[in-house]
Amino acid sequence: MVTIDEPGARERGGGTRSGGVLSAARRVTGLWPVVRQLTGTDGTGHGAAVRSGTTDRLRSHNAGADRVVDSVCPFCAVGCGQKVYVTDEKVTQIEGDPSSPVSRGRLCPKGSASKQLVTSPSRVSTVRYRRPGGTDWEDLELDTAMEMIADRVLDARRKGWQDADEQGRPLRRTQGIASLGGATLDNEENYLMKKLYTALGAIQVENQARI
C-alpha cells in the first residue's frame, strides 16, 4: 500500500511525499525473492525466500483422496506401476508408482491418461455380443455374459474331454479349451490362471510374454 501525504503535511512537520514513496518501495522490494534471499536466513534460495502467498495456498490435487490403490497400467506388456487415487469411491487421478521396479514412477502418455478408461463418458460399461449368424451387436449385462462364458467353457470341456488314449492309458485332459494370458498379468494372476486351467484339464496354457 502506497502512502500519500496530505496537502500541507510537509509544513506541519509530518512525513514527506518522497518519504512515503521510499517507505512503500521498501515494503514492495522486501517481497522480492532475491531481497529475502540476501537479507534473510534462506541464503540458498531453496526455502522461505522463494515462497509466496500463492505458493502457500497451492494444494496437491490428490490431497483430498480417501485412499490410494496400487495398480498396473493395462496398456502394454511393460506393466508400469500406478497409484490410483480414489475419492468417494470414484477414481480422481492416476499417477506413476515410484516404488515400481519396472517404471520407477514414470508413465508414458497413454498410461498417464488411463484415468479416462474409467471416467470417460464414452466408456462402454456393457458387454457387446453378436449372436451366431447375427449381423447386429446387442448389449448384455456383465453377469449375464459371465454366465454365458462359464456355460461355454464347461460345454467345450465336456465335448473335448479325453479320459484315456487308445491303449487305455489315463489322460484326463481336454483340448477343447485353451488359455493365452496377457503380458500385463502379474505373477500371482498367472499362478491362479495356471491352477484354474490345470484343474479344468486344459493342457494348452500359454502367455503372450513368451511369444
Side-chain angles (χ1 to χ4, degrees), residues 138-175:
E138 58 183 286
D139 292 331
L140 297 178
E141 294 296 328
L142 180 59
D143 290 341
T144 302
M146 293 296 290
E147 291 291 338
M148 294 170 62
I149 293 172
D151 291 341
R152 284 159 171 74
V153 169
L154 295 177
D155 184 60
R157 178 180 183 270
R158 181 173 57 254
K159 291 179 178 178
W161 184 258
Q162 297 173 320
D163 199 56
D165 62 11
E166 295 81 359
Q167 302 178 17
R169 292 175 296 189
L171 295 175
R172 292 189 288 274
R173 70 183 187 185
T174 179
Q175 292 184 317

Side-chain angles (χ1 to χ4, degrees), residues 86-134:
V86 181
T87 302
D88 295 332
E89 296 305 311
K90 295 182 180 180
V91 176
T92 56
Q93 179 67 11
I94 296 180
E95 297 181 353
D97 184 0
S99 65
S100 170
V102 176
S103 53
R104 294 179 293 176
R106 300 174 180 86
L107 291 175
C108 76
K110 291 189 291 184
S112 299
S114 57
K115 172 175 172 280
Q116 300 175 19
L117 294 175
V118 183
T119 61
S120 174
S122 61
R123 178 192 180 194
V124 177
S125 58
T126 55
V127 178
R128 304 288 285 172
Y129 174 66
R130 188 171 64 184
R131 298 182 181 277

Side-chain angles (χ1 to χ4, degrees), residues 18-149:
S18 60
V21 172
L22 289 175
S23 177
R26 292 191 186 97
R27 287 196 295 271
V28 172
T29 56
L31 298 177
W32 292 355
V34 64
V35 175
R36 285 185 287 161
Q37 180 180 349
L38 295 175
T39 60
T41 58
D42 184 20
T44 60
H46 291 157
V50 293
R51 296 188 66 84
S52 65
T54 302
T55 304
D56 294 333
R57 289 190 295 271
L58 291 176
R59 293 293 182 271
S60 170
H61 51 273
N62 299 324
D66 297 332
R67 57 193 174 95
V68 183
V69 181
D70 293 332
S71 185
V72 177
C73 181
F75 265 110
C76 73
V78 175
C80 297
Q82 291 183 325
K83 292 285 188 181
V84 181
Y85 295 83
V86 181
T87 302
D88 295 332
E89 296 305 311
K90 295 182 180 180
V91 176
T92 56
Q93 179 67 11
I94 296 180
E95 297 181 353
D97 184 0
S99 65
S100 170
V102 176
S103 53
R104 294 179 293 176
R106 300 174 180 86
L107 291 175
C108 76
K110 291 189 291 184
S112 299
S114 57
K115 172 175 172 280
Q116 300 175 19
L117 294 175
V118 183
T119 61
S120 174
S122 61
R123 178 192 180 194
V124 177
S125 58
T126 55
V127 178
R128 304 288 285 172
Y129 174 66
R130 188 171 64 184
R131 298 182 181 277
T135 57
D136 297 323
W137 293 92
E138 58 183 286
D139 292 331
L140 297 178
E141 294 296 328
L142 180 59
D143 290 341
T144 302
M146 293 296 290
E147 291 291 338
M148 294 170 62
I149 293 172

